[in-house]
Amino acid sequence: MHMTTTQQSHWDVIIIGAGLAGLLAAGRTAKAGLRTLVLERATQLGGRAASPQLHGIPVNPGARAISTSAIGLLQEEGIEVTGGSPKPSVQFVTGMPGESLQQLPLMQVFLGKWATWSEKMQLVRFLIRSRQVELTGLQTVSIERYLADTLPSPRIRRIVLSLIRLATYCDAPAQMSAKAALTQLREKVVYVNGGWASLVKSLKQQAIAAGAVIRNESAVAKIQGEAPELRIVLKDGTVFYAANVLSTIGPKPWLKLLDPPLAEGVASRYDNLVPVYAACLDLIMKRLPKPNKTFAIGVDQPWYFANHSAVSTFSEHPEQEIIHVMKYLPPGLSPSIGDDQQELEAFLDEIQPGWQDHVLERRFLPRMLVSHAVSEPSPDDRKPGPVITARPGLYVAGDWVGENMLVKASLVSAREAATAIIARHGSTNHKTRNGDRAIPC
Ligand SMILES: Cc1cc2nc3c(=O)[nH]c(=O)nc-3n(C[C@H](O)[C@H](O)[C@H](O)COP(=O)(O)OP(=O)(O)OC[C@H]3O[C@@H](n4cnc5c(N)ncnc54)[C@H](O)[C@@H]3O)c2cc1C
């Protein structure tokens, strides 16, 4: 039997990046008998799904909620996902930074005096219609335009926009297609037990069991040539060859690796994608001053608060609370780090007064890359597909590829890329050189 080792230079497929996309694709290509090498720049695997420790607990860097349709994709790979869904008892918080803020429980919107009867009816009709409306055709319209046309009341629009921010992780209603936003609004979500690191662990185990080889601390510096053999050069000068290369890194850094570069007209499609960022405050608390307040979102400001430990398990100390506070940053704008942190703290003062006295450990992450691309309105699907026709043998996967959003886009595109690679491998008869399956070293 033939052994694959991290020193071997020729592979059927090389995957750049060991995030969820790279690990899922590696499991698939390795299971199909392709000699698969995964190259990861970092020491830890998982990319944006890694859950670094906070107070000794693996905590997602920024709030993570996986959609049930993304869970379905993982289950199809044989991955079990456990966790809890947030309760719908949301507090809406109105007001601007520096002003006095006001809390409005969901039931008050429907039953209290905050909205008129006609406004309440607008909201009820919208919530029903948003689940039923035919989405085809809505990819050309922004969600801002769609709401302006369907919701006459500005404050009901603001309530709905806060729900759309929550569902899409993005504060760019003019730049997001109504189809993408409403699709996302229909999704149910789960906070995963043990954080997303548990997903990374399962996908990694599966890829290795199928025979993929994973090499960490292996930053790719160049992707050279094209079919029948691409050449991968690492930062340290090591060279690998493969008939198929799948990149799961972001569009802009990926373009920089290509040698020769893609023609300008083709490259601009990837280069013009607009990334989405968030400022995140993660906290481990001894206890919460207001334990019943588990979930709040800003109406006039793009703020988020949730107690993830209220419905899922992260540590052996269930009495400790895991809190995520977040600000969705407008795409393209530099964050004002000090102001964002103060703003989130003031928001937390409103939801959990006296919270500072109960903090065990905290972490502020001013500019987290949530997604490489906003789903923009466009007549043709503006987000690219996984097969790079201009460079045979080259594929891409990630949250900027295909018609889905966030991690679902990463998982779907990884699966599609793996399927295309397996099909191409079969048709070009690039069989493993001695017919053996790769085995882990
Ligand atoms: C704060 C925050 C909140 C989020 N919340 C949600 C949510 O609730 N729901 C949801 O669905 N999604 C959410 N996301 C998005 C989700 O985390 C990502 O879509 C998903 O993890 C992307 O996985 P990926 O494998 O495509 O990319 P990545 O995880 O980015 O993996 C790419 C990998 O490539 C590696 N790499 C980069 N360059 C090189 C190189 N030159 N050579 C070798 N390796 C390289 C990186 O180190 C990384 O490991 C959130 C993201 C953030 C940051």
Side-chain angles (χ1 to χ4, degrees), residues 197-218:
S198 64
L199 309 178
V200 175
K201 190 172 163 204
S202 304
L203 283 172
K204 174 190 159 190
Q205 280 169 350
Q206 198 170 79
I208 289 175
V213 173
I214 304 173
R215 214 181 121 135
N216 62 348
E217 299 182 359
S218 299

Side-chain angles (χ1 to χ4, degrees), residues 348-367:
L348 198 47
D349 286 341
E350 176 62 32
I351 311 291
Q352 296 287 343
W355 61 275
Q356 309 261 19
D357 299 336
H358 308 289
V359 175
L360 288 170
E361 199 171 345
R362 56 187 282 172
R363 170 171 79 192
F364 180 64
L365 305 161
R367 193 173 165 79

Side-chain angles (χ1 to χ4, degrees), residues 127-189:
L127 292 175
I128 295 169
R129 197 173 44 220
S130 66
R131 306 204 74 77
Q132 295 170 349
V133 69
E134 174 54 48
L135 297 177
T136 317
L138 291 184
Q139 74 269 24
T140 56
V141 188
S142 75
I143 187 66
E144 185 173 76
R145 180 75 265 149
Y146 178 81
L147 296 182
D149 291 346
T150 50
L151 287 173
S153 159
R155 50 185 181 172
I156 294 299
R157 273 205 301 276
R158 289 206 306 280
I159 288 272
V160 168
L161 278 171
S162 72
L163 295 173
I164 286 173
R165 263 196 308 265
L166 175 72
T168 61
Y169 272 76
C170 180
D171 186 26
Q175 284 168 272
M176 178 175 296
S177 93
K179 180 182 174 189
L182 295 178
T183 304
Q184 215 46 34
L185 201 58
R186 291 177 183 183
E187 292 272 12
K188 289 202 171 67
V189 296

Side-chain angles (χ1 to χ4, degrees), residues 424-441:
R424 179 169 180 270
H425 182 80
S427 69
T428 54
N429 212 14
H430 279 130
K431 290 208 163 84
T432 49
R433 269 144 229 268
N434 60 6
D436 285 340
R437 275 175 62 109
I439 59 161
C441 53

Side-chain angles (χ1 to χ4, degrees), residues 16-23 39-42 44-49 61-67 70 169 184 196 218-221 235 248-250 253 257 278 280 326 368-372 397-399 405-408 410-411:
I16 306 173
L20 296 178
L23 292 171
L39 298 170
E40 168 56 51
R41 161 178 81 177
Q44 300 295 323
L45 307 188
R48 280 173 287 154
R64 304 301 160 107
I66 191 164
S67 64
Y169 272 76
Q184 215 46 34
W196 282 24
S218 299
V220 173
K235 282 231 163 91
T248 68
I249 71 176
L257 297 185
C280 306
M326 216 162 58
M368 293 294 287
L369 175 69
V370 173
S371 167
H372 286 290
D399 50 23
M405 281 181 77
L406 297 164
V407 78
K408 184 177 175 192
S410 289
L411 300 176

